């Protein structure tokens, strides 16, 4: 590995490499499309959060948040890393689309059955303890919905692996859009309370799955030569279980605070703390958009380490600066906006949000670094890191929630996010040879590349994009 002090984080000013060498035009366009999707999803999710808070009140909103954790936990615990495996193997052209689809479908069905078998006794005997204050009928309803969300999550990763983002973006936006409309009808118009909000959630999941299958018809009915799926099933599981365990730990790091707030403080506290977490996480829209595009692209660049070395810091810097700017704006205007949309009862969201913001800003760049590590085939590193961070997060929450309440949970989350970014940054610099500041501190040539990349993207959009087939003309694999 080269000495980090001698490696530039990007092209030199004397001989800058053109953005096309990194595919910045295509990357910029795809991130732009993903960002539009994320903005729409964020707006709809925030609207839904406001609707639920006003329609259900603090306690009802807390029950809703805790109940929806059932399908979210199942989608996280039982997806076996199929999505990142598809992104990696399709992005690096090691499997054909149809083989990936068959394996994804069969594994998802098997995992859904397994999740139900395990979840039934857990809900029956421990549901009251894990989800305090939540009616068991709500938990059963959410368990019935869980396999649909798990299948949709896995199938939509086919689009990401093929770097075809339009159908992925549409299905992503559909969930909050349909849920918002049906929630308004069932909760506001028909006053069905939590039962109506959970029914609306289920309708959103079913609609998204149906549209995902519709978009996948070109793969389902393609004339691609039959490919053995056993080999890819083994590869998918071998790579995926490492990503899967890492994702489980990541999800627990994001949600353990909510569960512990519910355990120590009850549903009413969750009803205020939950929206603060939702708002804070929506500031990751740029990081999420960039991460979804960059993982398959970095997998493609495994044969070109120099380009890979330059791309990740560039994306990391842009993501960090953008998230910082968005956070500063929201910190300045957040209080009156929360008062306007959520109401006086939920003004406690604002101080919690301020405690969360420092960690949210730092973790945005960590998301990009995590995908770089995964694209190098070192997914096990993210797994080990997730274990360390979960321990830090749990200890911090247990120490801070009893004396400081929900504010302690928010502070504990920021501590965990700071640890995540610091450790992951250290590991990334050792792997890449880049200096530690490369993904953090903007450099002069960033603006030159950004200008050129934006110009290329505008030209591409003016010329009109050629239709992209989901199934390549020449089978890959």
């Amino acid at each position: 590995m080269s000495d980090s002090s001698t490696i530039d984080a990007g092209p030199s000013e004397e001989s800058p490499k053109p953005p096309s060498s990194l595919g910045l035009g295509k990357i910029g366009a795809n991130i732009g499309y993903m960002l539009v999707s994320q903005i729409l999803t964020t707006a709809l999710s925030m609207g839904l959060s406001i609707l639920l808070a006003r329609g259900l009140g603090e306690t009802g909103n807390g029950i809703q948040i805790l109940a929806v954790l059932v399908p979210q936990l199942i989608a996280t615990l039982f997806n076996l890393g199929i999505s990142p495996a598809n992104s990696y193997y399709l992005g690096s052209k090691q499997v054909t689309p149809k083989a990936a689809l068959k394996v994804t479908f069969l594994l998802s069905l098997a995992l859904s059955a397994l999740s139900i078998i395990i979840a039934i006794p857990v809900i029956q005997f421990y549901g009251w303890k894990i989800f305090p204050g939540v009616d068991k009928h709500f938990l059963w309803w959410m368990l019935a919905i869980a396999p649909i969300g798990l299948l949709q999550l896995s199938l939509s990763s086919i689009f990401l692996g093929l770097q075809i983002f339009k159908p992925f973006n549409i299905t992503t936006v559909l969930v909050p859009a349909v849920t918002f409309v049906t929630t308004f009808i069932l909760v506001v118009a028909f006053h069905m309370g939590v039962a109506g909000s959970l029914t609306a959630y289920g309708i959103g999941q079913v609609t998204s799955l149906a549209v995902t299958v519709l978009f996948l018809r070109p793969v389902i009915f393609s004339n691609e030569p039959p490919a053995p799926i056993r080999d890819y099933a083994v590869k998918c599981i071998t790579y995926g279980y490492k990503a899967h365990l890492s994702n489980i730990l990541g999800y627990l790091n994001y949600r353990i605070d909510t569960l512990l707030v519910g355990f120590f403080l009850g549903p009413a506290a969750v009803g205020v703390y939950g929206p603060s977490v939702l708002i804070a996480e929506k500031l990751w829209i740029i990081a999420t958009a960039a991460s979804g595009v960059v993982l398959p692209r970095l997998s493609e660049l495994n044969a070109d380490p120099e380009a890979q070395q330059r791309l990740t810091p560039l994306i990391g810097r842009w993501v960090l600066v953008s998230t910082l700017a968005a956070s500063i704006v929201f910190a300045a205007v957040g209080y009156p906006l929360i008062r306007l949309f959520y109401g006086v009862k939920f003004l406690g969201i604002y101080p919690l949000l301020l405690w969360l913001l420092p960690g949210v800003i730092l973790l945005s760049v960590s998301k990009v670094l995590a995908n770089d590590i995964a694209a190098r085939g070192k997914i096990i590193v993210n797994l080990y890191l997730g274990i360390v961070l979960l321990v830090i997060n749990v200890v911090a929450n247990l120490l801070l929630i009893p004396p400081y309440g929900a504010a302690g949970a928010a502070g504990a989350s920021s501590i965990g996010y700071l640890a995540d970014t610091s450790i992951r940054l250290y590991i990334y610099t050792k792997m890449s040879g880049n200096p530690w500041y490369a993904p953090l501190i903007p450099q002069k040539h960033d603006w030159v590349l950004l200008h050129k990349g934006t110009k290329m993207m505008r030209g591409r959009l003016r010329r009109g994009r050629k239709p992209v087939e989901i199934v390549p003309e020449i089978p890959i694999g």
Side-chain angles (χ1 to χ4, degrees), residues 58-81:
E58 296 172 59
T59 301
N61 193 39
I63 292 172
Q64 152 80 20
I65 292 170
L66 290 171
V68 169
L69 284 176
V70 172
Q72 291 177 351
L73 281 169
I74 286 177
T76 302
L77 295 175
F78 291 92
N79 70 70
L80 203 61

Side-chain angles (χ1 to χ4, degrees), residues 156-339:
S156 64
S157 67
I158 301 293
F159 305 129
L160 287 180
L162 294 172
Q163 300 185 64
I164 301 171
F165 297 99
K166 183 178 179 180
F168 178 83
N169 292 336
I170 291 174
T171 54
T172 299
V173 172
L174 264 180
V175 174
V178 173
T179 305
F180 179 87
V181 173
T182 49
T183 297
F184 184 84
I185 294 171
L186 298 179
V187 175
V188 177
F190 289 94
H191 306 288
M192 291 179 61
V194 175
S197 68
L198 296 179
T199 300
Y201 176 87
I203 293 172
Q205 296 293 315
V206 171
T207 304
S208 183
L209 175 60
V211 175
T212 298
V213 173
L214 185 67
F215 277 125
L216 284 170
R217 285 184 306 167
V219 175
I220 297 170
F221 299 108
S222 72
N223 294 321
E224 179 185 304
I229 62 173
R230 182 176 178 180
D231 289 345
Y232 181 60
V234 173
K235 285 183 178 181
C236 186
I237 294 172
T238 303
Y239 180 95
Y241 88 88
K242 300 171 188 176
H244 172 54
L245 294 175
S246 180
N247 287 340
I248 289 175
L249 292 168
Y251 180 83
L252 290 176
N253 273 310
Y254 294 152
R255 291 292 175 266
I256 194 68
D257 51 349
T258 301
L259 287 171
L260 290 175
V261 167
F263 179 80
F264 283 110
L265 308 176
V270 175
V272 176
Y273 184 73
S276 71
V277 173
L278 174 68
I279 295 170
E281 290 180 351
K282 293 310 176 185
L283 293 169
W284 284 329
I285 59 173
I286 298 171
T288 302
S291 297
V293 172
V294 166
L295 176 57
R297 177 58 179 156
L298 287 172
S299 299
E300 280 187 326
L301 291 176
N302 275 333
D304 188 357
E306 191 272 341
Q308 191 179 58
Q309 185 185 36
R310 293 167 56 228
L311 179 60
T312 298
L314 184 65
I315 299 297
R317 294 191 294 266
W318 290 350
V319 165
L320 182 61
V321 170
S322 301
T323 306
L324 175 61
S327 299
I328 291 173
V329 170
F330 197 87
V333 302
Y335 187 86
L337 289 179
I338 290 170
R339 183 185 182 94

Side-chain angles (χ1 to χ4, degrees), residues 379-393:
I379 193 70
I380 194 69
V381 173
N382 288 330
L383 172 61
Y384 292 149
L385 181 56
I387 295 172
V388 173
L389 297 172
L390 181 61
V391 172
I392 294 173
N393 207 351

Side-chain angles (χ1 to χ4, degrees), residues 21-42:
S21 65
L22 298 180
L24 289 187
K26 181 180 178 181
I27 291 173
N30 287 334
I31 289 177
Y33 300 138
M34 288 283 282
L35 189 56
V36 170
S37 167
Q38 291 295 321
I39 290 172
L40 289 174
T41 302
T42 297

